[in-house]
């Protein structure tokens, strides 16, 4: 049965608004409806965002052999080639028609925390080849986290929690935060043939902050069990980030807040996007919040440790590294 398609109408949250109650109300409505919304007046300048996208494009313009020198490692840092990731094996004939680059929390190898699964040193292009590239990405990594923290405060209030709930040490105090540069080379997606820019999936963690270059392609499906599925286009909003909730927040909220299926369809245009995936600390145990359960509404999901859950999801969706011949 063919999928249906329509336009989506997402709420927009002004992060600089002094009217907190209205912002929380708009956000709560969005989180219960689709788990997707825009944030505006977030504090990152348009000029700097243009710089980040320019540097991203500079990397993907390098010869493949140069990019393969930075092939992702066991800690999921570095380059992911086209077709490396398979997000929807039930419907995809082959992997996603996109290439990417993972940048995580930077820690030197001699730091004891660097032994953790998702911590450690990043892989960086040579500064002679891409001058200023590392500095730009590290600055963006830090600024994006500030936007996430502002958004997380509103999410906490929407769940009837203290505004600083997600800033506890075991959550955003020591987060697993992964910046991912993405390039869709222009392949036209053909869902009927199992060819996608990015297959249908939900994100794994707490929240994702998405910057796009203005080229459309992102779609969401509010009801994954509908037949046919109805896919809604999420149009880029100039100067705004698209925010979506991840699986862990759905589990925390006992299903009240939504981690929604989404995908990317290529339309023949090159497309660049930059998702920033934010998860709690390695040791954080995700379990139903006290404000989201009752005798009539007991916890729906078992407790899960963040590190184990993430590791399994990454292993399920990425090609085995042994399949690549490293240069």
């Amino acid at each position: 049965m063919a999928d249906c398609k329509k336009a989506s109408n997402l709420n927009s949250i002004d992060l600089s608004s002094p009217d907190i109650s209205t912002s929380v109300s708009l956000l709560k409505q969005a989180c219960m409806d689709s788990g997707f919304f825009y944030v505006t007046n977030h504090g990152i300048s348009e000029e700097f965002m243009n710089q980040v996208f320019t540097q991203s494009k500079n990397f993907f313009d390098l010869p493949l052999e140069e990019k393969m020198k930075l092939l992702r490692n066991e800690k999921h840092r570095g380059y992911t080639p086209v077709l490396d990731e398979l997000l929807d094996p039930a419907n995809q004939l082959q992997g996603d028609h996109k290439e990417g680059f993972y940048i995580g929390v930077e820690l030197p190898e001699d730091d004891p925390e660097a032994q953790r699964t998702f911590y450690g040193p990043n892989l960086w292009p040579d500064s002679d080849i891409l001058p200023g590239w590392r500095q730009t990405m590290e600055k963006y990594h830090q600024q994006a986290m500030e936007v996430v923290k502002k958004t997380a405060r509103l999410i906490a209030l929407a769940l009837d929690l203290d505004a600083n709930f997600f800033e506890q040490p075991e959550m955003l105090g020591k987060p697993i935060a992964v910046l991912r540069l993405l390039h869709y080379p222009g392949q036209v997606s053909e869902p009927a043939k199992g060819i996608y820019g990015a297959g249908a999936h939900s994100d794994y963690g707490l929240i994702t902050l998405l910057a796009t270059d203005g080229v459309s392609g992102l779609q969401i499906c509010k009801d994954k069990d509908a037949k046919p599925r109805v896919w809604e286009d999420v149009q880029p909003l100039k100067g705004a980030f698209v925010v979506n909730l991840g699986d862990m927040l759905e589990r925390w909220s006992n299903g009240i807040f939504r981690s929604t299926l989404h995908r990317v369809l290529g339309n023949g245009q090159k497309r660049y996007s930059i998702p920033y995936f934010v998860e709690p600390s390695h040791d954080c145990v995700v379990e139903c919040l006290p404000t989201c359960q009752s005798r009539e509404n007991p916890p729906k999901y078992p407790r899960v440790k963040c590190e184990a859950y993430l590791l399994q999801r990454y292993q399920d969706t990425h090609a085995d590294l042994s399949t690549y011949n490293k240069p």
Side-chain angles (χ1 to χ4, degrees), residues 202-238:
S202 60
D203 288 350
Y204 316 149
L206 178 59
I207 61 176
T208 302
L209 190 70
L210 177 70
T212 70
D213 64 353
V215 177
S216 60
L218 176 63
Q219 297 183 329
I220 63 174
C221 173
K222 294 180 185 176
D223 182 0
K224 64 184 177 185
D225 298 319
K227 292 191 181 351
R229 284 177 173 172
V230 177
W231 289 95
E232 302 180 22
D233 289 317
V234 176
Q235 295 301 331
L237 182 63
K238 189 171 174 59

Side-chain angles (χ1 to χ4, degrees), residues 14-52:
D14 182 348
L15 291 184
S16 68
S17 173
D19 186 356
I20 300 297
S21 62
T22 297
S23 295
V24 170
S25 176
L26 283 170
L27 180 140
K28 186 170 186 175
Q29 181 187 41
C31 292
M32 294 173 71
D33 176 51
S34 69
F36 273 76
F37 52 92
Y38 300 108
V39 293
T40 60
N41 294 319
H42 41 69
I44 301 182
S45 73
E46 186 178 347
E47 180 185 16
F48 181 58
M49 287 309 306
N50 289 339
Q51 189 181 335
V52 175

Side-chain angles (χ1 to χ4, degrees), residues 168-184:
Q168 298 175 64
E170 67 270 25
M171 294 187 188
L172 296 183
K174 282 190 173 180
I176 298 170
V178 179
L179 183 62
R180 195 173 187 201
L181 311 177
L182 292 175
H183 170 225
Y184 297 84

Side-chain angles (χ1 to χ4, degrees), residues 69-84:
K69 291 177 183 176
L70 297 168
L71 181 68
R72 67 177 168 85
N73 58 21
E74 290 76 8
K75 286 180 175 282
H76 291 278
R77 307 295 178 92
Y79 177 63
T80 54
V82 174
L83 307 184
D84 177 82

Side-chain angles (χ1 to χ4, degrees), residues 153-171:
R153 289 183 195 117
L154 295 177
I155 291 172
L157 291 171
L159 289 168
D160 297 321
L161 301 166
D162 182 86
N164 297 320
F165 177 81
F166 290 110
E167 294 186 39
Q168 298 175 64
E170 67 270 25
M171 294 187 188

Side-chain angles (χ1 to χ4, degrees), residues 243-259:
V243 176
N244 67 280
L245 311 184
D247 298 341
M248 290 185 194
L249 195 47
E250 183 170 270
R251 297 171 83 104
W252 258 314
S253 70
N254 210 22
I256 296 170
F257 283 4
R258 308 275 306 281
S259 176

